[in-house]
Amino acid sequence: MRERSIATLALILAAISASAAPVAAQEIRARTGSSLVLGGRVQVQYEAPSVEGQPGTFFVRRAWVTMDGSVSDRVGGRVQFDAQGSAVLEAYLELKPSDAFQVQIGQFKRGMSYFWLVANSDLPVIERNARVTGVDHCPGVGGVCSFGQFTGALGLDNYEPGVLMTGRLAGRRLGYRVTVTNGEGLGRKDVNTSKSISGRVSAYLAENTRVSGYLALDETLNSRGETMNVPALGAEFEFGTWRQGPHVIVNGLRGRNWKLNDDANFSALQLMAFWYRALEPETGLAGIEPLLRVSWADSGAEGPDKVTGAVVTPGFMVYAAGRNGIAVNLDFYRSGDRRDWSLKFQAFTFF
């Protein structure tokens, strides 16, 4: 396993080094008075899990194409689709009458946490849910018990159609983000009598320092086939910014594990720490960013079925140029007597 992983890393590093020059997104004139910016991203990944019978595997993690259109300074839109899966991820009209109020109508990411909203081209954590292939352990949501697994599997951070309102107030010291969506996931029509609502309020305490509170009132069907409101509350602290020295993000979340049963309440905590260091031009690389993620979650199951789990992820990302680079993560999962891990390499090309 060790020899295969080292060989894989060497191959991916060679591929990244061969394409070290950054490529800018292409702007295209589109009809009178409007413009279109075309871009894309490709992530190729190798994963070697510890689970017996699960082989190390190469695969294309993402192949996305993005088109950002602008009619004027106050009217624009986006279409982003997964070229590999032929699925539309984002498709919305954006109206920007002022800095205090902007609205998107269409399909977008709900975002119960900034952790899921930050672009994957910025985040050097390879898998937000810290998955270990072959592990289906966490009651209700499956996979490993982690912060990202709960927010993702319970639909708190999915792409969904609806309306998004956002803005900055009080001299940009306060911010808000509110979504009203179907609550059924990517491109799906509503099947019950309510809408899902999520919101974030942020206070910007100083330059690059933010505290946010999150609330979600999701809607789903309970065990009796009736519409049930599912609450979730979260908080987040961020210090620093991407690619500029130290950067820390801390998350806490408590909500209903409705996939387990109507009454189970999960809890999840996560800390991520990064440190971006720019490298000298003669090295041929832009920078290196070591990282550490610590995530803990309680599934909400009671009695002998009670499960808590913790993930520790050390890793780093090497930037060849711009957003192009290679990331290495090692996800360690521990719950009771079980121990699992997954070694991941990911090559990222953004253009």
Side-chain angles (χ1 to χ4, degrees):
M1 176 74 73
R2 181 180 178 184
E3 289 77 8
R4 292 200 302 270
S5 299
I6 293 173
T8 300
L9 176 59
L11 286 171
I12 298 177
L13 281 170
I16 288 295
S17 298
S19 60
V23 181
Q26 299 300 304
E27 182 173 354
I28 304 170
R29 302 304 299 177
R31 299 186 181 180
T32 304
S34 62
S35 64
L36 182 69
V37 177
L38 178 64
R41 66 192 69 184
V42 177
Q43 288 167 289
V44 179
Q45 189 164 313
Y46 177 78
E47 181 177 351
S50 64
V51 179
E52 186 176 354
Q54 294 289 334
T57 305
F58 284 104
F59 57 98
V60 177
R61 179 63 176 87
R62 290 183 181 90
W64 291 0
V65 177
T66 305
M67 293 177 286
D68 288 304
S70 176
V71 178
S72 68
D73 291 341
R74 297 187 176 184
V75 181
R78 163 176 284 197
V79 176
Q80 183 176 80
F81 64 92
D82 183 350
Q84 184 184 15
S86 301
V88 176
L89 302 174
E90 291 184 299
Y92 58 78
L93 170 68
E94 184 174 33
L95 306 176
K96 301 174 283 186
S98 71
D99 194 43
F101 179 76
Q102 301 176 20
V103 61
Q104 295 175 5
I105 304 170
Q107 184 164 284
F108 43 79
K109 187 176 285 188
R110 288 178 62 189
M112 185 63 184
S113 64
Y114 173 69
F115 170 60
W116 278 90
L117 289 174
V118 62
N120 50 53
S121 55
D122 284 326
L123 187 68
V125 172
I126 293 176
E127 293 294 351
R128 302 185 207 221
N129 62 1
R131 75 157 187 260
V132 178
T133 298
V135 174
D136 185 18
H137 175 250
C138 199
V141 297
V144 303
C145 278
S146 69
F147 177 88
Q149 179 67 6
F150 275 99
T151 55
L154 295 178
L156 296 170
D157 287 297
N158 287 349
Y159 292 101
E160 287 194 10
V163 178
L164 182 156
M165 293 160 283
T166 186
R168 296 284 290 270
L169 307 168
R172 298 185 61 84
R173 294 190 300 274
L174 295 176
Y176 68 91
R177 189 177 193 273
V178 178
T179 66
V180 181
T181 62
N182 286 340
E184 302 301 326
L186 188 67
R188 295 181 182 176
K189 296 181 180 180
D190 210 347
V191 298
N192 44 37
T193 60
S194 299
K195 290 291 180 285
S196 292
I197 300 172
S198 64
R200 176 185 74 193
V201 177
S202 299
Y204 296 84
L205 306 179
E207 186 178 4
N208 298 330
T209 304
R210 172 182 60 88
V211 175
S212 299
Y214 295 86
L215 169 66
L217 293 175
D218 214 343
E219 48 84 19
T220 186
L221 297 179
N222 63 18
S223 59
R224 300 181 297 277
E226 302 167 340
T227 298
M228 176 178 66
N229 289 320
V230 180
L233 287 169
E236 187 171 62
F237 170 78
E238 181 182 23
F239 169 77
T241 188
W242 302 106
R243 313 225 175 107
Q244 187 177 325
H247 190 189
V248 175
I249 303 176
V250 182
N251 295 96
L253 182 64
R254 181 170 174 81
R256 187 75 51 80
N257 186 357
W258 55 268
K259 286 194 172 183
L260 179 59
N261 60 59
D262 294 349
D263 302 313
N265 290 306
F266 75 90
S267 301
L269 299 170
Q270 180 170 269
L271 181 147
M272 297 187 300
F274 315 90
W275 195 300
Y276 181 85
R277 180 185 175 188
L279 298 178
E280 297 297 329
E282 55 266 24
T283 66
L285 299 171
I288 186 169
E289 187 174 23
L291 70 96
L292 178 67
R293 168 177 57 186
V294 180
S295 182
W296 172 91
D298 181 342
S299 68
E302 299 292 341
D305 298 324
K306 183 177 179 64
V307 172
T308 62
V311 174
V312 177
T313 305
F316 65 91
M317 180 145 182
V318 176
Y319 296 91
R323 296 181 177 182
N324 300 283
I326 180 170
V328 180
N329 285 185
L330 182 56
D331 293 312
F332 291 100
Y333 177 60
R334 175 177 179 176
S335 178
D337 294 331
R338 88 173 290 145
R339 305 286 188 276
D340 300 285
W341 55 265
S342 174
L343 178 62
K344 300 178 178 75
F345 304 117
Q346 187 175 91
F348 194 108
T349 301
F350 185 91
F351 54 90

